């Protein structure tokens, strides 16, 4: 800092480096100007873009700079929207589908923080609100007490360990009535497959004690507990149906490894990809319109399956009323 006249600190969000540099300068008796937030458009908010940084540098150092004219995009063709989506073969899609088939659109759906939050989007549309980690359980309790509607709360396995358990303790203690679906994909998928207390760490050759979600839930006093494999749609729907009739707290633990995690840890059970038999397909598109698996697409107005994306989970085959979706033979 001795060798410069002034300093501009360019950092997003909080002025951590700016504050530290100012403190360091003060301790060393330096009086050079040090600025960051408040110069040009540099603020605590949002990501910085090159234009903002150029403008701030020009303003602070007195450099002549003309903001370039915006690029003329008028001739650019409109790009198709690409909303985020659960991966091809994601077990959460199957769980959401099963719950939606049984509860319809009447239930209040509380959702939580994880990749499964993508269930908020159509055609699944299984989130009326998302508040913060663990809140699907506690807010689900509140809604079940305040309304006469059925309430279904969704939470991932790692979020359940993080902050869902306390809400369930409260629900048992207060005799609440709602259904909690724990989407157990065996990892912390959204942030990069970190372990949590329910993960089997043996495949990663790490010796940690695994806590069973089922034992934990039963230990908290929940009587109506169902463990399902979501790729088996019929059985999953039977379990969901049983929760509709239960007068109390039901917990469904929907267990299937995240396919990406399974592949990364050598646990993936390879299955043949599926295809649509054009002779059987009646083109009513239940498969695409109800599931929206990204391995499916339309070509010449016909449903096709991208064999490179399809992991062979078979869920679309169970949804097709014409049995037109079949595993490839080769
Ligand atoms: S649900 Fe079956 S029959 Fe209908 S469009 Fe899809 S593949 Fe074809
Ligand atoms: S079997 Fe069907 S639902 Fe499963 S990944 Fe393939 S296309 Fe998607």
């Amino acid at each position: 800092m001795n060798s410069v006249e002034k300093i501009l600190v360019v950092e997003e969000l909080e002025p951590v480096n700016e504050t530290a540099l100012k403190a360091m300068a003060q301790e060393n008796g330096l009086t050079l100007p040090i600025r960051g937030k408040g110069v040009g458009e540099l603020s605590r908010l949002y990501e910085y873009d090159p234009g903002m940084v150029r403008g701030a540098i020009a303003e602070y150092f007195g450099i002549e700079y003309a903001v370039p004219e915006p690029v003329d995009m008028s001739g650019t063709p409109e790009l198709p929207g690409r909303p985020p989506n659960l991966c091809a073969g994601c077990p959460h899609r199957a769980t959401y589908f099963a719950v939606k088939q049984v509860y319809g659109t009447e239930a209040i759906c509380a959702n939580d923080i994880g990749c499964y939050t993508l269930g908020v989007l159509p055609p699944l549309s299984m989130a009326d609100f998302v508040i913060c980690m663990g809140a699907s359980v506690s807010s689900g309790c509140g809604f079940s007490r305040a309304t006469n509607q059925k309430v279904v709360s969704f939470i991932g396995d790692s979020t359940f360990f993080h902050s869902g358990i306390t809400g369930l303790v409260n629900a048992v203690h207060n005799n609440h009535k709602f259904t909690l679906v724990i989407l157990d994909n065996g990892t912390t998928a959204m942030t990069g497959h970190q372990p949590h207390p329910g993960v089997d760490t043996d495949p990663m050759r790490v010796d940690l004690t695994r806590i069973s979600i089922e034992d934990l839930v039963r230990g908290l006093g929940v009587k109506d507990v169902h463990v399902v494999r979501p790729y088996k749609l019929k059985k999953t729907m039977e379990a969901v149906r049983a929760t509709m009739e239960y007068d109390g707290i039901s917990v469904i633990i929907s267990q299937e490894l995240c396919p990406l995690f399974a592949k990364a840890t050598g646990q993936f059970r390879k299955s043949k990809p599926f295809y649509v038999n054009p002779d059987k397909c009646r083109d009513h598109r239940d498969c695409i319109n109800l599931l929206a698996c990204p391995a499916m697409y339309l070509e010449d107005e016909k449903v096709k399956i991208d064999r490179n994306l399809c992991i062979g989970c078979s869920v679309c085959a169970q949804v097709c009323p014409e049995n037109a979706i079949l595993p490839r033979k080769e």
Side-chain angles (χ1 to χ4, degrees), residues 4-38:
V4 297
E5 291 171 17
K6 57 198 296 197
I7 292 176
L8 175 67
V9 183
V10 180
E11 60 182 327
E12 289 171 347
L13 305 178
E14 293 303 306
V16 178
N17 291 309
E18 183 185 339
T19 307
L21 279 174
K22 284 175 177 168
M24 201 186 296
Q26 199 270 342
E27 280 170 4
N28 288 281
L30 300 173
T31 56
L32 79 167
I34 301 173
R35 296 278 310 279
K37 302 297 170 202

PDB file of all heavy atoms in Angstrom, residues 4-38:
ATOM      1  N   VAL A   4       1.292   2.967  -3.694  1.00  0.00           N
ATOM      2  CA  VAL A   4       0.196   3.438  -4.550  1.00  0.00           C
ATOM      3  C   VAL A   4      -0.447   4.682  -3.954  1.00  0.00           C
ATOM      4  O   VAL A   4      -0.298   4.974  -2.761  1.00  0.00           O
ATOM      5  CB  VAL A   4      -0.874   2.338  -4.754  1.00  0.00           C
ATOM      6  CG1 VAL A   4      -0.294   1.142  -5.474  1.00  0.00           C
ATOM      7  CG2 VAL A   4      -1.484   1.927  -3.418  1.00  0.00           C
ATOM      8  N   GLU A   5      -1.193   5.413  -4.820  1.00  0.00           N
ATOM      9  CA  GLU A   5      -1.803   6.665  -4.349  1.00  0.00           C
ATOM     10  C   GLU A   5      -3.200   6.441  -3.795  1.00  0.00           C
ATOM     11  O   GLU A   5      -3.644   7.110  -2.879  1.00  0.00           O
ATOM     12  CB  GLU A   5      -1.880   7.663  -5.509  1.00  0.00           C
ATOM     13  CG  GLU A   5      -0.511   8.171  -5.929  1.00  0.00           C
ATOM     14  CD  GLU A   5      -0.581   8.991  -7.205  1.00  0.00           C
ATOM     15  OE1 GLU A   5      -1.683   9.431  -7.589  1.00  0.00           O
ATOM     16  OE2 GLU A   5       0.475   9.161  -7.824  1.00  0.00           O
ATOM     17  N   LYS A   6      -3.929   5.523  -4.391  1.00  0.00           N
ATOM     18  CA  LYS A   6      -5.286   5.253  -3.922  1.00  0.00           C
ATOM     19  C   LYS A   6      -5.681   3.831  -4.302  1.00  0.00           C
ATOM     20  O   LYS A   6      -5.096   3.248  -5.230  1.00  0.00           O
ATOM     21  CB  LYS A   6      -6.286   6.278  -4.477  1.00  0.00           C
ATOM     22  CG  LYS A   6      -6.313   6.351  -5.984  1.00  0.00           C
ATOM     23  CD  LYS A   6      -6.949   7.635  -6.504  1.00  0.00           C
ATOM     24  CE  LYS A   6      -8.386   7.801  -6.160  1.00  0.00           C
ATOM     25  NZ  LYS A   6      -9.073   8.813  -6.994  1.00  0.00           N
ATOM     26  N   ILE A   7      -6.651   3.287  -3.604  1.00  0.00           N
ATOM     27  CA  ILE A   7      -7.041   1.880  -3.827  1.00  0.00           C
ATOM     28  C   ILE A   7      -8.545   1.805  -4.037  1.00  0.00           C
ATOM     29  O   ILE A   7      -9.320   2.418  -3.290  1.00  0.00           O
ATOM     30  CB  ILE A   7      -6.636   1.003  -2.617  1.00  0.00           C
ATOM     31  CG1 ILE A   7      -5.113   0.903  -2.516  1.00  0.00           C
ATOM     32  CG2 ILE A   7      -7.253  -0.397  -2.718  1.00  0.00           C
ATOM     33  CD1 ILE A   7      -4.620   0.142  -1.297  1.00  0.00           C
ATOM     34  N   LEU A   8      -8.937   1.041  -5.064  1.00  0.00           N
ATOM     35  CA  LEU A   8     -10.351   0.716  -5.259  1.00  0.00           C
ATOM     36  C   LEU A   8     -10.512  -0.785  -5.031  1.00  0.00           C
ATOM     37  O   LEU A   8      -9.840  -1.590  -5.678  1.00  0.00           O
ATOM     38  CB  LEU A   8     -10.801   1.072  -6.689  1.00  0.00           C
ATOM     39  CG  LEU A   8     -12.237   0.667  -7.031  1.00  0.00           C
ATOM     40  CD1 LEU A   8     -13.252   1.470  -6.220  1.00  0.00           C
ATOM     41  CD2 LEU A   8     -12.508   0.830  -8.524  1.00  0.00           C
ATOM     42  N   VAL A   9     -11.372  -1.163  -4.110  1.00  0.00           N
ATOM     43  CA  VAL A   9     -11.591  -2.583  -3.819  1.00  0.00           C
ATOM     44  C   VAL A   9     -12.860  -3.030  -4.546  1.00  0.00           C
ATOM     45  O   VAL A   9     -13.935  -2.479  -4.323  1.00  0.00           O
ATOM     46  CB  VAL A   9     -11.744  -2.825  -2.301  1.00  0.00           C
ATOM     47  CG1 VAL A   9     -11.893  -4.316  -2.016  1.00  0.00           C
ATOM     48  CG2 VAL A   9     -10.554  -2.252  -1.551  1.00  0.00           C
ATOM     49  N   VAL A  10     -12.712  -4.013  -5.436  1.00  0.00           N
ATOM     50  CA  VAL A  10     -13.864  -4.528  -6.182  1.00  0.00           C
ATOM     51  C   VAL A  10     -14.185  -5.918  -5.639  1.00  0.00           C
ATOM     52  O   VAL A  10     -13.473  -6.881  -5.905  1.00  0.00           O
ATOM     53  CB  VAL A  10     -13.565  -4.593  -7.697  1.00  0.00           C
ATOM     54  CG1 VAL A  10     -14.770  -5.122  -8.458  1.00  0.00           C
ATOM     55  CG2 VAL A  10     -13.178  -3.215  -8.219  1.00  0.00           C
ATOM     56  N   GLU A  11     -15.218  -6.011  -4.835  1.00  0.00           N
ATOM     57  CA  GLU A  11     -15.624  -7.308  -4.272  1.00  0.00           C
ATOM     58  C   GLU A  11     -17.142  -7.309  -4.142  1.00  0.00           C
ATOM     59  O   GLU A  11     -17.744  -6.306  -3.765  1.00  0.00           O
ATOM     60  CB  GLU A  11     -14.976  -7.554  -2.901  1.00  0.00           C
ATOM     61  CG  GLU A  11     -15.332  -6.508  -1.860  1.00  0.00           C
ATOM     62  CD  GLU A  11     -14.648  -6.715  -0.515  1.00  0.00           C
ATOM     63  OE1 GLU A  11     -14.423  -7.862  -0.129  1.00  0.00           O
ATOM     64  OE2 GLU A  11     -14.339  -5.695   0.133  1.00  0.00           O
ATOM     65  N   GLU A  12     -17.740  -8.450  -4.482  1.00  0.00           N
ATOM     66  CA  GLU A  12     -19.195  -8.538  -4.392  1.00  0.00           C
ATOM     67  C   GLU A  12     -19.624  -8.734  -2.941  1.00  0.00           C
ATOM     68  O   GLU A  12     -18.843  -9.149  -2.098  1.00  0.00           O
ATOM     69  CB  GLU A  12     -19.700  -9.697  -5.259  1.00  0.00           C
ATOM     70  CG  GLU A  12     -19.567  -9.384  -6.744  1.00  0.00           C
ATOM     71  CD  GLU A  12     -19.849 -10.580  -7.631  1.00  0.00           C
ATOM     72  OE1 GLU A  12     -19.899 -11.705  -7.106  1.00  0.00           O
ATOM     73  OE2 GLU A  12     -20.001 -10.384  -8.847  1.00  0.00           O
ATOM     74  N   LEU A  13     -20.865  -8.407  -2.679  1.00  0.00           N
ATOM     75  CA  LEU A  13     -21.511  -8.579  -1.363  1.00  0.00           C
ATOM     76  C   LEU A  13     -20.838  -7.717  -0.285  1.00  0.00           C
ATOM     77  O   LEU A  13     -20.581  -6.549  -0.527  1.00  0.00           O
ATOM     78  CB  LEU A  13     -21.559 -10.060  -0.993  1.00  0.00           C
ATOM     79  CG  LEU A  13     -22.236 -10.958  -2.053  1.00  0.00           C
ATOM     80  CD1 LEU A  13     -22.195 -12.410  -1.651  1.00  0.00           C
ATOM     81  CD2 LEU A  13     -23.656 -10.516  -2.330  1.00  0.00           C
ATOM     82  N   GLU A  14     -20.513  -8.298   0.872  1.00  0.00           N
ATOM     83  CA  GLU A  14     -20.042  -7.476   1.992  1.00  0.00           C
ATOM     84  C   GLU A  14     -18.621  -6.943   1.754  1.00  0.00           C
ATOM     85  O   GLU A  14     -17.792  -7.617   1.138  1.00  0.00           O
ATOM     86  CB  GLU A  14     -20.055  -8.305   3.285  1.00  0.00           C
ATOM     87  CG  GLU A  14     -21.443  -8.686   3.752  1.00  0.00           C
ATOM     88  CD  GLU A  14     -22.339  -7.479   3.974  1.00  0.00           C
ATOM     89  OE1 GLU A  14     -21.944  -6.567   4.715  1.00  0.00           O
ATOM     90  OE2 GLU A  14     -23.438  -7.436   3.388  1.00  0.00           O
ATOM     91  N   PRO A  15     -18.312  -5.741   2.272  1.00  0.00           N
ATOM     92  CA  PRO A  15     -16.983  -5.134   2.046  1.00  0.00           C
ATOM     93  C   PRO A  15     -15.920  -5.701   2.993  1.00  0.00           C
ATOM     94  O   PRO A  15     -15.314  -4.969   3.780  1.00  0.00           O
ATOM     95  CB  PRO A  15     -17.248  -3.647   2.310  1.00  0.00           C
ATOM     96  CG  PRO A  15     -18.360  -3.631   3.300  1.00  0.00           C
ATOM     97  CD  PRO A  15     -19.220  -4.830   3.009  1.00  0.00           C
ATOM     98  N   VAL A  16     -15.679  -7.004   2.889  1.00  0.00           N
ATOM     99  CA  VAL A  16     -14.760  -7.670   3.822  1.00  0.00           C
ATOM    100  C   VAL A  16     -13.329  -7.179   3.609  1.00  0.00           C
ATOM    101  O   VAL A  16     -12.656  -6.712   4.541  1.00  0.00           O
ATOM    102  CB  VAL A  16     -14.835  -9.208   3.635  1.00  0.00           C
ATOM    103  CG1 VAL A  16     -13.852  -9.918   4.552  1.00  0.00           C
ATOM    104  CG2 VAL A  16     -16.254  -9.698   3.884  1.00  0.00           C
ATOM    105  N   ASN A  17     -12.856  -7.271   2.346  1.00  0.00           N
ATOM    106  CA  ASN A  17     -11.473  -6.850   2.070  1.00  0.00           C
ATOM    107  C   ASN A  17     -11.308  -5.341   2.241  1.00  0.00           C
ATOM    108  O   ASN A  17     -10.282  -4.867   2.728  1.00  0.00           O
ATOM    109  CB  ASN A  17     -11.081  -7.263   0.647  1.00  0.00           C
ATOM    110  CG  ASN A  17     -10.954  -8.767   0.536  1.00  0.00           C
ATOM    111  OD1 ASN A  17     -10.279  -9.395   1.337  1.00  0.00           O
ATOM    112  ND2 ASN A  17     -11.628  -9.345  -0.438  1.00  0.00           N
ATOM    113  N   GLU A  18     -12.333  -4.602   1.836  1.00  0.00           N
ATOM    114  CA  GLU A  18     -12.267  -3.141   1.952  1.00  0.00           C
ATOM    115  C   GLU A  18     -12.083  -2.732   3.421  1.00  0.00           C
ATOM    116  O   GLU A  18     -11.217  -1.910   3.757  1.00  0.00           O
ATOM    117  CB  GLU A  18     -13.562  -2.540   1.382  1.00  0.00           C
ATOM    118  CG  GLU A  18     -13.586  -1.027   1.391  1.00  0.00           C
ATOM    119  CD  GLU A  18     -14.937  -0.477   0.925  1.00  0.00           C
ATOM    120  OE1 GLU A  18     -15.677  -1.216   0.244  1.00  0.00           O
ATOM    121  OE2 GLU A  18     -15.241   0.678   1.264  1.00  0.00           O
ATOM    122  N   THR A  19     -12.870  -3.346   4.298  1.00  0.00           N
ATOM    123  CA  THR A  19     -12.789  -3.013   5.723  1.00  0.00           C
ATOM    124  C   THR A  19     -11.421  -3.414   6.288  1.00  0.00           C
ATOM    125  O   THR A  19     -10.795  -2.665   7.050  1.00  0.00           O
ATOM    126  CB  THR A  19     -13.914  -3.743   6.490  1.00  0.00           C
ATOM    127  OG1 THR A  19     -15.152  -3.447   5.851  1.00  0.00           O
ATOM    128  CG2 THR A  19     -13.985  -3.300   7.937  1.00  0.00           C
ATOM    129  N   ALA A  20     -10.950  -4.609   5.887  1.00  0.00           N
ATOM    130  CA  ALA A  20      -9.659  -5.086   6.406  1.00  0.00           C
ATOM    131  C   ALA A  20      -8.519  -4.182   5.933  1.00  0.00           C
ATOM    132  O   ALA A  20      -7.600  -3.856   6.699  1.00  0.00           O
ATOM    133  CB  ALA A  20      -9.421  -6.525   5.949  1.00  0.00           C
ATOM    134  N   LEU A  21      -8.583  -3.759   4.655  1.00  0.00           N
ATOM    135  CA  LEU A  21      -7.526  -2.883   4.128  1.00  0.00           C
ATOM    136  C   LEU A  21      -7.520  -1.536   4.848  1.00  0.00           C
ATOM    137  O   LEU A  21      -6.459  -0.975   5.166  1.00  0.00           O
ATOM    138  CB  LEU A  21      -7.733  -2.664   2.626  1.00  0.00           C
ATOM    139  CG  LEU A  21      -7.226  -3.784   1.711  1.00  0.00           C
ATOM    140  CD1 LEU A  21      -7.631  -3.499   0.278  1.00  0.00           C
ATOM    141  CD2 LEU A  21      -5.712  -3.923   1.805  1.00  0.00           C
ATOM    142  N   LYS A  22      -8.718  -1.013   5.108  1.00  0.00           N
ATOM    143  CA  LYS A  22      -8.800   0.278   5.810  1.00  0.00           C
ATOM    144  C   LYS A  22      -8.213   0.153   7.220  1.00  0.00           C
ATOM    145  O   LYS A  22      -7.497   1.037   7.694  1.00  0.00           O
ATOM    146  CB  LYS A  22     -10.260   0.739   5.883  1.00  0.00           C
ATOM    147  CG  LYS A  22     -10.771   1.295   4.557  1.00  0.00           C
ATOM    148  CD  LYS A  22     -12.248   1.630   4.647  1.00  0.00           C
ATOM    149  CE  LYS A  22     -12.731   2.264   3.346  1.00  0.00           C
ATOM    150  NZ  LYS A  22     -14.193   2.351   3.268  1.00  0.00           N
ATOM    151  N   ALA A  23      -8.518  -0.977   7.883  1.00  0.00           N
ATOM    152  CA  ALA A  23      -7.984  -1.186   9.237  1.00  0.00           C
ATOM    153  C   ALA A  23      -6.462  -1.295   9.190  1.00  0.00           C
ATOM    154  O   ALA A  23      -5.745  -0.718  10.021  1.00  0.00           O
ATOM    155  CB  ALA A  23      -8.595  -2.450   9.837  1.00  0.00           C
ATOM    156  N   MET A  24      -5.960  -2.028   8.185  1.00  0.00           N
ATOM    157  CA  MET A  24      -4.512  -2.211   8.055  1.00  0.00           C
ATOM    158  C   MET A  24      -3.826  -0.862   7.803  1.00  0.00           C
ATOM    159  O   MET A  24      -2.779  -0.557   8.389  1.00  0.00           O
ATOM    160  CB  MET A  24      -4.240  -3.163   6.885  1.00  0.00           C
ATOM    161  CG  MET A  24      -2.884  -3.837   6.935  1.00  0.00           C
ATOM    162  SD  MET A  24      -2.599  -4.791   5.442  1.00  0.00           S
ATOM    163  CE  MET A  24      -3.856  -6.011   5.539  1.00  0.00           C
ATOM    164  N   ALA A  25      -4.449  -0.050   6.932  1.00  0.00           N
ATOM    165  CA  ALA A  25      -3.873   1.268   6.627  1.00  0.00           C
ATOM    166  C   ALA A  25      -3.846   2.132   7.885  1.00  0.00           C
ATOM    167  O   ALA A  25      -2.853   2.807   8.177  1.00  0.00           O
ATOM    168  CB  ALA A  25      -4.697   1.939   5.525  1.00  0.00           C
ATOM    169  N   GLN A  26      -4.938   2.074   8.633  1.00  0.00           N
ATOM    170  CA  GLN A  26      -5.019   2.898   9.844  1.00  0.00           C
ATOM    171  C   GLN A  26      -3.945   2.486  10.854  1.00  0.00           C
ATOM    172  O   GLN A  26      -3.269   3.318  11.439  1.00  0.00           O
ATOM    173  CB  GLN A  26      -6.432   2.746  10.430  1.00  0.00           C
ATOM    174  CG  GLN A  26      -6.843   3.844  11.388  1.00  0.00           C
ATOM    175  CD  GLN A  26      -6.473   3.505  12.824  1.00  0.00           C
ATOM    176  OE1 GLN A  26      -6.222   2.350  13.144  1.00  0.00           O
ATOM    177  NE2 GLN A  26      -6.411   4.529  13.660  1.00  0.00           N
ATOM    178  N   GLU A  27      -3.763   1.163  11.024  1.00  0.00           N
ATOM    179  CA  GLU A  27      -2.764   0.673  11.981  1.00  0.00           C
ATOM    180  C   GLU A  27      -1.346   1.069  11.575  1.00  0.00           C
ATOM    181  O   GLU A  27      -0.460   1.219  12.410  1.00  0.00           O
ATOM    182  CB  GLU A  27      -2.838  -0.859  12.071  1.00  0.00           C
ATOM    183  CG  GLU A  27      -3.975  -1.335  12.951  1.00  0.00           C
ATOM    184  CD  GLU A  27      -4.196  -2.833  12.831  1.00  0.00           C
ATOM    185  OE1 GLU A  27      -3.417  -3.504  12.135  1.00  0.00           O
ATOM    186  OE2 GLU A  27      -5.177  -3.312  13.429  1.00  0.00           O
ATOM    187  N   ASN A  28      -1.141   1.225  10.254  1.00  0.00           N
ATOM    188  CA  ASN A  28       0.200   1.550   9.766  1.00  0.00           C
ATOM    189  C   ASN A  28       0.374   3.036   9.457  1.00  0.00           C
ATOM    190  O   ASN A  28       1.349   3.434   8.823  1.00  0.00           O
ATOM    191  CB  ASN A  28       0.508   0.716   8.521  1.00  0.00           C
ATOM    192  CG  ASN A  28       0.730  -0.748   8.892  1.00  0.00           C
ATOM    193  OD1 ASN A  28       1.790  -1.120   9.363  1.00  0.00           O
ATOM    194  ND2 ASN A  28      -0.301  -1.556   8.729  1.00  0.00           N
ATOM    195  N   GLY A  29      -0.586   3.847   9.862  1.00  0.00           N
ATOM    196  CA  GLY A  29      -0.471   5.297   9.696  1.00  0.00           C
ATOM    197  C   GLY A  29      -0.531   5.757   8.254  1.00  0.00           C
ATOM    198  O   GLY A  29       0.011   6.807   7.907  1.00  0.00           O
ATOM    199  N   LEU A  30      -1.189   4.985   7.379  1.00  0.00           N
ATOM    200  CA  LEU A  30      -1.297   5.364   5.966  1.00  0.00           C
ATOM    201  C   LEU A  30      -2.590   6.154   5.754  1.00  0.00           C
ATOM    202  O   LEU A  30      -3.633   5.812   6.323  1.00  0.00           O
ATOM    203  CB  LEU A  30      -1.297   4.119   5.074  1.00  0.00           C
ATOM    204  CG  LEU A  30      -0.044   3.238   5.177  1.00  0.00           C
ATOM    205  CD1 LEU A  30      -0.225   1.961   4.387  1.00  0.00           C
ATOM    206  CD2 LEU A  30       1.184   3.992   4.680  1.00  0.00           C
ATOM    207  N   THR A  31      -2.511   7.186   4.939  1.00  0.00           N
ATOM    208  CA  THR A  31      -3.697   8.039   4.754  1.00  0.00           C
ATOM    209  C   THR A  31      -4.234   7.999   3.332  1.00  0.00           C
ATOM    210  O   THR A  31      -5.052   8.820   2.951  1.00  0.00           O
ATOM    211  CB  THR A  31      -3.348   9.499   5.115  1.00  0.00           C
ATOM    212  OG1 THR A  31      -2.235   9.897   4.314  1.00  0.00           O
ATOM    213  CG2 THR A  31      -3.018   9.644   6.585  1.00  0.00           C
ATOM    214  N   LEU A  32      -3.760   7.058   2.522  1.00  0.00           N
ATOM    215  CA  LEU A  32      -4.243   7.027   1.133  1.00  0.00           C
ATOM    216  C   LEU A  32      -5.729   6.659   1.097  1.00  0.00           C
ATOM    217  O   LEU A  32      -6.215   5.926   1.964  1.00  0.00           O
ATOM    218  CB  LEU A  32      -3.427   6.038   0.288  1.00  0.00           C
ATOM    219  CG  LEU A  32      -3.727   4.539   0.380  1.00  0.00           C
ATOM    220  CD1 LEU A  32      -3.034   3.808  -0.747  1.00  0.00           C
ATOM    221  CD2 LEU A  32      -3.335   3.975   1.720  1.00  0.00           C
ATOM    222  N   PRO A  33      -6.464   7.194   0.104  1.00  0.00           N
ATOM    223  CA  PRO A  33      -7.897   6.862   0.014  1.00  0.00           C
ATOM    224  C   PRO A  33      -8.104   5.393  -0.369  1.00  0.00           C
ATOM    225  O   PRO A  33      -7.442   4.891  -1.275  1.00  0.00           O
ATOM    226  CB  PRO A  33      -8.419   7.778  -1.093  1.00  0.00           C
ATOM    227  CG  PRO A  33      -7.290   8.652  -1.504  1.00  0.00           C
ATOM    228  CD  PRO A  33      -6.028   8.110  -0.943  1.00  0.00           C
ATOM    229  N   ILE A  34      -8.995   4.728   0.346  1.00  0.00           N
ATOM    230  CA  ILE A  34      -9.378   3.344   0.030  1.00  0.00           C
ATOM    231  C   ILE A  34     -10.894   3.322  -0.063  1.00  0.00           C
ATOM    232  O   ILE A  34     -11.588   3.652   0.896  1.00  0.00           O
ATOM    233  CB  ILE A  34      -8.904   2.359   1.127  1.00  0.00           C
ATOM    234  CG1 ILE A  34      -7.385   2.418   1.282  1.00  0.00           C
ATOM    235  CG2 ILE A  34      -9.357   0.939   0.804  1.00  0.00           C
ATOM    236  CD1 ILE A  34      -6.847   1.617   2.458  1.00  0.00           C
ATOM    237  N   ARG A  35     -11.399   2.961  -1.233  1.00  0.00           N
ATOM    238  CA  ARG A  35     -12.864   2.950  -1.415  1.00  0.00           C
ATOM    239  C   ARG A  35     -13.293   1.644  -2.070  1.00  0.00           C
ATOM    240  O   ARG A  35     -12.488   0.891  -2.595  1.00  0.00           O
ATOM    241  CB  ARG A  35     -13.296   4.120  -2.324  1.00  0.00           C
ATOM    242  CG  ARG A  35     -13.045   5.516  -1.773  1.00  0.00           C
ATOM    243  CD  ARG A  35     -14.131   5.962  -0.800  1.00  0.00           C
ATOM    244  NE  ARG A  35     -15.478   5.782  -1.322  1.00  0.00           N
ATOM    245  CZ  ARG A  35     -16.083   6.626  -2.158  1.00  0.00           C
ATOM    246  NH1 ARG A  35     -15.453   7.709  -2.576  1.00  0.00           N
ATOM    247  NH2 ARG A  35     -17.313   6.394  -2.573  1.00  0.00           N
ATOM    248  N   GLY A  36     -14.548   1.403  -2.055  1.00  0.00           N
ATOM    249  CA  GLY A  36     -15.113   0.210  -2.693  1.00  0.00           C
ATOM    250  C   GLY A  36     -16.602   0.432  -2.871  1.00  0.00           C
ATOM    251  O   GLY A  36     -17.051   1.003  -3.860  1.00  0.00           O
ATOM    252  N   LYS A  37     -17.373   0.036  -1.859  1.00  0.00           N
ATOM    253  CA  LYS A  37     -18.825   0.219  -1.945  1.00  0.00           C
ATOM    254  C   LYS A  37     -19.168   1.702  -2.100  1.00  0.00           C
ATOM    255  O   LYS A  37     -18.579   2.558  -1.435  1.00  0.00           O
ATOM    256  CB  LYS A  37     -19.506  -0.309  -0.674  1.00  0.00           C
ATOM    257  CG  LYS A  37     -19.230  -1.770  -0.374  1.00  0.00           C
ATOM    258  CD  LYS A  37     -19.756  -2.701  -1.430  1.00  0.00           C
ATOM    259  CE  LYS A  37     -19.230  -4.110  -1.182  1.00  0.00           C
ATOM    260  NZ  LYS A  37     -19.242  -4.945  -2.380  1.00  0.00           N
ATOM    261  N   GLY A  38     -20.108   1.969  -3.005  1.00  0.00           N
ATOM    262  CA  GLY A  38     -20.553   3.345  -3.193  1.00  0.00           C
ATOM    263  C   GLY A  38     -19.887   4.033  -4.369  1.00  0.00           C
ATOM    264  O   GLY A  38     -20.330   5.086  -4.816  1.00  0.00           O
TER     265      GLY A  38
END
